[in-house]
Amino acid sequence: MVQDAAAPPLAEGRPTRPYVLPPLPPGHYYVEPPDPREAGSGGTFVLEDADPFDHYHYRVKALVHSSRTPFQTVVIADTYNFGRALFLDGAIQSSEEDEALYHEMLAQPALLMHPAPRDVLVIGGGEGATLREVLAHRSVQRAVMIDIDREVVELCRELLPGWHCGAFVDPRASLHFEDGRGFLENTPDVFDIIIVDVVDMLENGPAQRLYTRQFYDLARRRLRPGGVLVVQGLEFSFADYKAHAALARTLRTAFSEVHSYKTCVPSFLGSWGFLIASDTVSPHDFSADALDRAILARLGPNWLDHLTGAFLLASFCHCKETQFYLNMPGPIIEDDVAFVEPPDIEEEEPAGAQLPALSED
Amino acid sequence: MVQDAAAPPLAEGRPTRPYVLPPLPPGHYYVEPPDPREAGSGGTFVLEDADPFDHYHYRVKALVHSSRTPFQTVVIADTYNFGRALFLDGAIQSSEEDEALYHEMLAQPALLMHPAPRDVLVIGGGEGATLREVLAHRSVQRAVMIDIDREVVELCRELLPGWHCGAFVDPRASLHFEDGRGFLENTPDVFDIIIVDVVDMLENGPAQRLYTRQFYDLARRRLRPGGVLVVQGLEFSFADYKAHAALARTLRTAFSEVHSYKTCVPSFLGSWGFLIASDTVSPHDFSADALDRAILARLGPNWLDHLTGAFLLASFCHCKETQFYLNMPGPIIEDDVAFVEPPDIEEEEPAGAQLPALSED
Amino acid sequence: MVQDAAAPPLAEGRPTRPYVLPPLPPGHYYVEPPDPREAGSGGTFVLEDADPFDHYHYRVKALVHSSRTPFQTVVIADTYNFGRALFLDGAIQSSEEDEALYHEMLAQPALLMHPAPRDVLVIGGGEGATLREVLAHRSVQRAVMIDIDREVVELCRELLPGWHCGAFVDPRASLHFEDGRGFLENTPDVFDIIIVDVVDMLENGPAQRLYTRQFYDLARRRLRPGGVLVVQGLEFSFADYKAHAALARTLRTAFSEVHSYKTCVPSFLGSWGFLIASDTVSPHDFSADALDRAILARLGPNWLDHLTGAFLLASFCHCKETQFYLNMPGPIIEDDVAFVEPPDIEEEEPAGAQLPALSED
Amino acid sequence: MVQDAAAPPLAEGRPTRPYVLPPLPPGHYYVEPPDPREAGSGGTFVLEDADPFDHYHYRVKALVHSSRTPFQTVVIADTYNFGRALFLDGAIQSSEEDEALYHEMLAQPALLMHPAPRDVLVIGGGEGATLREVLAHRSVQRAVMIDIDREVVELCRELLPGWHCGAFVDPRASLHFEDGRGFLENTPDVFDIIIVDVVDMLENGPAQRLYTRQFYDLARRRLRPGGVLVVQGLEFSFADYKAHAALARTLRTAFSEVHSYKTCVPSFLGSWGFLIASDTVSPHDFSADALDRAILARLGPNWLDHLTGAFLLASFCHCKETQFYLNMPGPIIEDDVAFVEPPDIEEEEPAGAQLPALSED
């Protein structure tokens, strides 16, 4: 059956703005966002079901691509809230709206805190945006990217041009399709920075081999003196810290300086962690001003969308409860040993639970 | 972030069948259905939210089209369970898997019970499949289709070729894009069969003008003697009967023979009603054999996928509770009067609620 | 954060009905159904995810019970569309709105077509409603119910009183908590009717042992001459027939008369199948009148909510495509052999696809 | 139908941990989190549909309460991911897992940055947790709470005892059920701190009257010299900043010091904003150490779960893009004028989009 009746065109259109739009700075312009009433009822959604309990449905304007590679299912969709987005095995990887935040946070702290990164290795990072952030640094002479899934990389190259911005054709870049662990075991090369940007180690799947003590030992041996390893550090907040904290403990078996930072990535629906590991680099050695100067000198005033010195240092600052969990001992992640999360830690109701917090004596 | 780890290709593939597949009749062949494990986690869904309370998510392989016409939102998607499907304003209209059942049930009873249909009017029916069922009858010399939404019809013509099967280019067919009510008011023509195949009269929207006593009066005047009107009759079961029963009562203000029939349409997730109205035609005047003979003579043995004489007569047979609701008096649907459903009807627990049903005396 | 602002009470209430409500027959009364606007936004839903692709969300007013027994998860919820409903392992089992239809369809055909059922066995049927339908027959002297999950039965007894209607305390009933297969293997008793009312044989789980050739052989040996076995026959339509058809074939290895019937159960969102198997009973031997007379004589005019003779016979009448699939040879279900569904059967486009169906010569 | 088959008890239980659990500090203990496999398939969910496009389903163990007050729908549910949670009109308000973070962030910055808060007004805040944070300060002699919805407050009092911790019976507290705006218009009292903790101003609903220039003028007149107003500041990130930025601009019409801060609240699925407004208090005047000392002196070492001086100062630090949006001119919120969001602001691709960011000359 199909409509015959004279349905009205969309209600009365958008409400009129009862004010004059202020002028914008040079190089900026106004764009109307999608109108929920135009989207209509029903609709198409991409389901994120990576959480064991909760579900999130991203409403999409268009499903751009959907397939299964030898390694994973791939969905690329134009969402209403976050623009174009990439989903692997049902988990969002990055979105047009906030990929710049994610990729700047992943790549730039290590690059900016290293005195002069020259050789950089990216493991994973199929969208090409991590590579883009690396190649933004003129000091980088060679950027090697290793991703196991050729189909995903080719899809990203074609369908996510705003992510890689031409990084794949930069003469300093080389791209190999193989297992990142195998590459590290066989390469004679050493690097100033290694960035691990792979999918979460869900359910002890094969990605776990890129999260173990043995892997980090190997990575350390492929770093030059002064080299820095950075790892995408999974969801990370006081409400969801166990895998991140285990990663931090595991990295500490191989590196003397291991620091957790995080930021809220809107399309990830929460706070995302990162880990920077080395024997030399500590964020506490940097002031916001020093970082701002490094940004200006190395990247200029316009490259970064999000990072500033102060914002970056603030991202290393965690709340009391988060810091408590990070400091707790616990299991580390080993090859061939299933990672089983420890139980939750609860606290007996502290004395201060009476009002006021400090009673008068 | 994107995958690097060596995820295994799909588990171990489908399980081996522990038996030999039996041979098929001529003209049939085996096809593997989609494998849920291949679809992977997450996934893309079309949300059906026409029900005021419940939601249904159709999982889709591909979103074929999504837009907004001047009249409605249109989504065409390839679902896993029902093949390609058309959604208007978030409500499924028909699917590859079962459109033949819906359209045979809508068009064929009136056509087969009429002695020799020559001029047929279809109001709505944008997929072209109702037109197809009409044109299958050699006796039909002229089939006029009126649909208000040119964009939907053009989308169906291009993207749902298995629905219309070329009906739009049949020399007996003519297609007009206008309001069905206006057409009926202005046309001097009369018809043997009028088929109303328009969207549900949701929320007293503009489609309501194609469901009122005034509209049926008008339709009756455009029928030849012996003519038959058939109306898609909305969801219809003892659990959801109010709108259908009001339609039936409204039709009875204009016609002396009004009969409800229904069938379970899988992609509609329930039982769908139809109403056949005339002054001459009653299903009780037909035997299954007589209908089977009419089918063979008019359509041959292969045209219909679903209908048989016995199946068709069974579809007029309702359960006791459904029949009770159908027989109840109640409001009819009028121009310019909002249709407000009557309350639910409950029954005091009858005496038979004790066990056994008939107690011994 | 919590509301302070003076939100308006509910809009303007329900619209006024522009007509007088007709009087009702004795013993009936009007009840207002839930108002979607009252339910508000958001809301609580029970997810049915038994389908491998699609999801259905039942909106609920209240979650009455939720737990995990040793055998399955149990949810009892008050839904808006179907009243109170029971879900096991995420699959709806029965609802207030239509359990009478399901249970009458399951139990009554066998009981009514048997000349005088005296001893009846129910395997499964934890809600007690199948037992209720059995005990409605005064001829029944003994009804044995075997259910493996004591917790579910106790929950149903307490929370679904309208289902069992006191059947559990009928002196003719006895209830045992054990495996139905084990019971049949060990009992020396024989029965006139055996009703198998257990969960679907999802994923070759342990319920499969109640669906095999070996089980039906066993059941046959526990039937008296003239005895009848009836089995809840899973989802059944031309769009979803493989498991039902395999059941039918499997039953035919043990019984000479095996007949499929089905009805659309609203809360199951589609058409549900049943199978009646015996060596003596065929629905074709009964007229609608004969069945109506049996209903009147055995149950009186008020017991049944749905079944009539004509409706019951119509439920044995399937569409052409469904009947084709039912007639196809294929695998049967055996102990210790995983049931793997055959592939889909497709048909080459038949000659009749040109318009008109029968071309003139 | 109900289960008979011998379904296995839960697979093989949880995996054994291949390590010894480390000892915990005094007062802490281990608790097993819910096991997703125990939760089983299907399940019950609360739908958050406050976003115009996306949907979030919280899986719940139990639905504790569900009703409609004269002002809003109320759902209290025990979720798997966030413990007990309160939903109003389909939007989450606070959860057991992270209400401490939300309420500390809302109440403590103003209280700690004020030299000696004595009289405090809370508008909204029905859970009682904002009141709890206020009364934790011994300097507070009088805390007045105004909430319009008596039913919600009573439900919170009974069902969310861990939120209020007895605050409602503290002799310094008084609770009034009335409109917060009306209270402010009529009261002769003045306060050191006013905390506005009301639902979002969705769709220009009645809560909007608690977000306008006129309301803030009024609030300012009810503040003592040196007084501070704090407002829950809606979702706030570079991806969703328009309402927060309008609030900030509106507050600046009444106060000379207006500062935005935010934090990621896990159960809110993103970053939540707050605004502190006064003529005297700037976060830039405080060092982390000074704040830590104030915390210790006023609340002791155990009261706060989350806030530290450094964490609090970091929450005032926004990324470059967020800060840009906050600095933009735009509409302010007025009584009796619908708030219509300005369009999106886009930037022409800056010169730095070529690689490397700074090209060599």
Side-chain angles (χ1 to χ4, degrees), chain D residues 114-162:
Chain D
H114 188 282
R118 205 184 67 186
D119 297 284
V120 179
L121 172 65
V122 177
I123 299 179
E127 298 103 324
T130 301
L131 192 62
R132 172 197 75 205
E133 292 299 316
V134 167
L135 293 169
H137 287 257
R138 202 169 33 179
S139 70
V140 170
Q141 296 181 7
R142 182 172 171 243
V144 178
M145 171 172 158
I146 308 295
D147 196 294
I148 205 169
D149 196 334
R150 179 189 292 268
E151 282 179 52
V152 162
V153 174
E154 284 171 358
L155 284 165
C156 292
R157 201 162 169 169
E158 179 192 345
L159 298 172
L160 308 181

Side-chain angles (χ1 to χ4, degrees), chain A residues 1, chain B residues 84-86 92-96 99 103 127 163 268:
Chain A
M1 65 198 126
Chain B
R84 187 156 292 187
L86 170 69
I92 192 165
Q93 301 297 307
S94 62
S95 86
E96 193 177 345
E99 69 80 15
H103 289 108
E127 298 104 324
W163 269 247
F268 294 5

Side-chain angles (χ1 to χ4, degrees), chain A residues 19 41 49 86 91 148-149 179 181 191 202 260 270 310 322 333:
Chain A
Y19 54 88
S41 42
D49 61 359
L86 169 69
I148 205 170
D149 196 334
D179 167 46
R181 175 108 176 221
F191 300 92
L202 292 172
S260 291
T322 305
I333 305 171

Side-chain angles (χ1 to χ4, degrees), chain C residues 106 323 333:
Chain C
L106 175 67
Q323 196 59 55
I333 304 170

Side-chain angles (χ1 to χ4, degrees), chain C residues 116-234:
Chain C
R118 207 184 67 187
D119 296 285
V120 179
L121 173 65
V122 177
I123 298 179
E127 299 103 325
T130 301
L131 192 63
R132 172 197 76 205
E133 291 299 316
V134 167
L135 293 169
H137 287 258
R138 202 170 31 178
S139 70
V140 170
Q141 296 181 6
R142 181 171 171 244
V144 179
M145 172 173 157
I146 308 295
D147 198 294
I148 204 170
D149 197 334
R150 178 190 293 268
E151 283 180 50
V152 163
V153 174
E154 284 171 359
L155 285 165
C156 292
R157 201 161 169 169
E158 179 192 347
L159 298 172
L160 309 180
W163 270 247
H164 55 76
C165 295
F168 293 125
V169 298
D170 188 292
R172 297 169 293 160
S174 64
L175 175 57
H176 306 274
F177 297 111
E178 59 175 297
D179 166 47
R181 175 106 175 224
F183 173 84
L184 268 192
E185 279 163 354
N186 297 320
T187 186
D189 296 346
V190 290
F191 300 92
D192 298 303
I193 310 271
I194 299 178
I195 303 175
V196 183
D197 183 19
V198 300
V199 295
D200 296 358
M201 53 173 183
L202 293 172
E203 288 164 28
N204 298 298
Q208 191 182 321
R209 294 177 65 255
L210 297 165
Y211 285 101
T212 59
R213 177 174 68 78
Q214 290 78 3
F215 175 76
Y216 295 134
D217 276 341
L218 177 62
R220 187 178 202 279
R221 289 198 301 273
R222 308 306 338 141
L223 282 174
R224 278 214 187 85
V228 183
L229 174 70
V230 63
V231 178
Q232 80 88 345
L234 313 170

Side-chain angles (χ1 to χ4, degrees), chain D residues 122-310:
Chain D
V122 177
I123 299 179
E127 298 103 324
T130 301
L131 192 62
R132 172 197 75 205
E133 292 299 316
V134 167
L135 293 169
H137 287 257
R138 202 169 33 179
S139 70
V140 170
Q141 296 181 7
R142 182 172 171 243
V144 178
M145 171 172 158
I146 308 295
D147 196 294
I148 205 169
D149 196 334
R150 179 189 292 268
E151 282 179 52
V152 162
V153 174
E154 284 171 358
L155 284 165
C156 292
R157 201 162 169 169
E158 179 192 345
L159 298 172
L160 308 181
W163 270 247
H164 54 77
C165 295
F168 292 126
V169 298
D170 189 291
R172 298 169 293 160
S174 65
L175 175 58
H176 305 273
F177 298 110
E178 59 175 298
D179 166 48
R181 175 107 177 222
F183 173 85
L184 267 192
E185 280 163 355
N186 297 320
T187 185
D189 296 344
V190 289
F191 300 90
D192 298 302
I193 310 271
I194 299 178
I195 303 175
V196 184
D197 183 19
V198 301
V199 295
D200 296 357
M201 53 174 183
L202 293 172
E203 289 164 27
N204 298 298
Q208 190 181 323
R209 294 178 63 255
L210 298 166
Y211 286 100
T212 60
R213 177 175 68 80
Q214 291 78 4
F215 174 75
Y216 296 133
D217 276 343
L218 177 62
R220 187 179 202 281
R221 289 198 300 273
R222 307 310 332 144
L223 282 174
R224 279 215 186 84
V228 183
L229 173 70
V230 65
V231 177
Q232 79 90 343
L234 313 170
E235 197 163 337
F236 176 39
S237 73
F238 62 92
D240 196 345
Y241 63 88
K242 291 177 188 175
H244 178 95
L247 269 195
R249 288 188 298 263
T250 305
L251 281 161
R252 279 190 209 110
T253 65
F255 297 95
S256 61
E257 292 281 347
V258 175
H259 300 273
S260 291
Y261 59 108
K262 66 177 186 299
T263 197
C264 192
V265 181
S267 70
F268 294 4
L269 313 172
S271 183
W272 209 258
F274 304 89
L275 282 150
I276 186 168
S278 71
D279 289 335
T280 52
V281 168
S282 163
H284 307 306
D285 298 339
F286 292 83
S287 68
D289 277 356
L291 288 167
D292 284 332
R293 282 193 305 270
I295 290 169
L296 199 64
R298 300 191 190 182
L299 300 170
N302 294 323
W303 178 262
L304 296 177
D305 285 349
H306 295 279
L307 257 59
T308 65

Side-chain angles (χ1 to χ4, degrees), chain A residues 85-106:
Chain A
L86 169 69
F87 299 84
L88 296 181
D89 282 343
I92 192 165
Q93 302 298 306
S94 62
S95 86
E96 193 176 346
E97 176 74 25
D98 53 24
E99 68 81 15
L101 176 62
Y102 172 77
H103 289 108
E104 291 180 8
M105 287 295 278
L106 174 66

Side-chain angles (χ1 to χ4, degrees), chain C residues 28-281:
Chain C
H28 292 76
Y29 54 98
Y30 284 119
V31 176
E32 284 296 347
D35 185 338
R37 294 164 317 137
E38 232 166 64
S41 43
T44 307
F45 293 83
V46 171
L47 168 63
E48 155 94 56
D49 62 359
D51 186 88
F53 297 112
D54 293 355
H55 294 163
Y56 189 84
H57 288 88
Y58 295 87
R59 182 151 189 186
V60 306
K61 286 184 217 175
L63 183 62
V64 178
H65 177 88
S66 172
S67 68
R68 187 176 173 85
T69 76
F71 300 102
Q72 48 205 336
T73 59
V74 191
V75 168
I76 296 175
D78 286 336
T79 71
Y80 278 97
N81 276 341
F82 304 108
R84 186 156 294 188
L86 170 68
F87 300 84
L88 296 182
D89 280 344
I92 192 165
Q93 302 298 307
S94 61
S95 86
E96 192 176 346
E97 175 74 24
D98 53 25
E99 67 82 16
L101 175 62
Y102 172 77
H103 289 107
E104 291 180 8
M105 286 296 278
L106 175 67
Q108 293 301 347
L111 289 158
L112 290 167
M113 290 180 183
H114 187 283
R118 207 184 67 187
D119 296 285
V120 179
L121 173 65
V122 177
I123 298 179
E127 299 103 325
T130 301
L131 192 63
R132 172 197 76 205
E133 291 299 316
V134 167
L135 293 169
H137 287 258
R138 202 170 31 178
S139 70
V140 170
Q141 296 181 6
R142 181 171 171 244
V144 179
M145 172 173 157
I146 308 295
D147 198 294
I148 204 170
D149 197 334
R150 178 190 293 268
E151 283 180 50
V152 163
V153 174
E154 284 171 359
L155 285 165
C156 292
R157 201 161 169 169
E158 179 192 347
L159 298 172
L160 309 180
W163 270 247
H164 55 76
C165 295
F168 293 125
V169 298
D170 188 292
R172 297 169 293 160
S174 64
L175 175 57
H176 306 274
F177 297 111
E178 59 175 297
D179 166 47
R181 175 106 175 224
F183 173 84
L184 268 192
E185 279 163 354
N186 297 320
T187 186
D189 296 346
V190 290
F191 300 92
D192 298 303
I193 310 271
I194 299 178
I195 303 175
V196 183
D197 183 19
V198 300
V199 295
D200 296 358
M201 53 173 183
L202 293 172
E203 288 164 28
N204 298 298
Q208 191 182 321
R209 294 177 65 255
L210 297 165
Y211 285 101
T212 59
R213 177 174 68 78
Q214 290 78 3
F215 175 76
Y216 295 134
D217 276 341
L218 177 62
R220 187 178 202 279
R221 289 198 301 273
R222 308 306 338 141
L223 282 174
R224 278 214 187 85
V228 183
L229 174 70
V230 63
V231 178
Q232 80 88 345
L234 313 170
E235 198 163 337
F236 177 40
S237 73
F238 62 93
D240 196 345
Y241 62 87
K242 290 178 189 175
H244 178 96
L247 268 194
R249 287 188 300 263
T250 305
L251 281 161
R252 279 189 210 113
T253 64
F255 297 94
S256 61
E257 293 281 345
V258 175
H259 299 274
S260 290
Y261 59 107
K262 67 176 186 300
T263 196
C264 192
V265 181
S267 69
F268 293 5
L269 313 171
S271 183
W272 209 258
F274 305 89
L275 281 151
I276 186 168
S278 71
D279 289 334
T280 52
V281 168

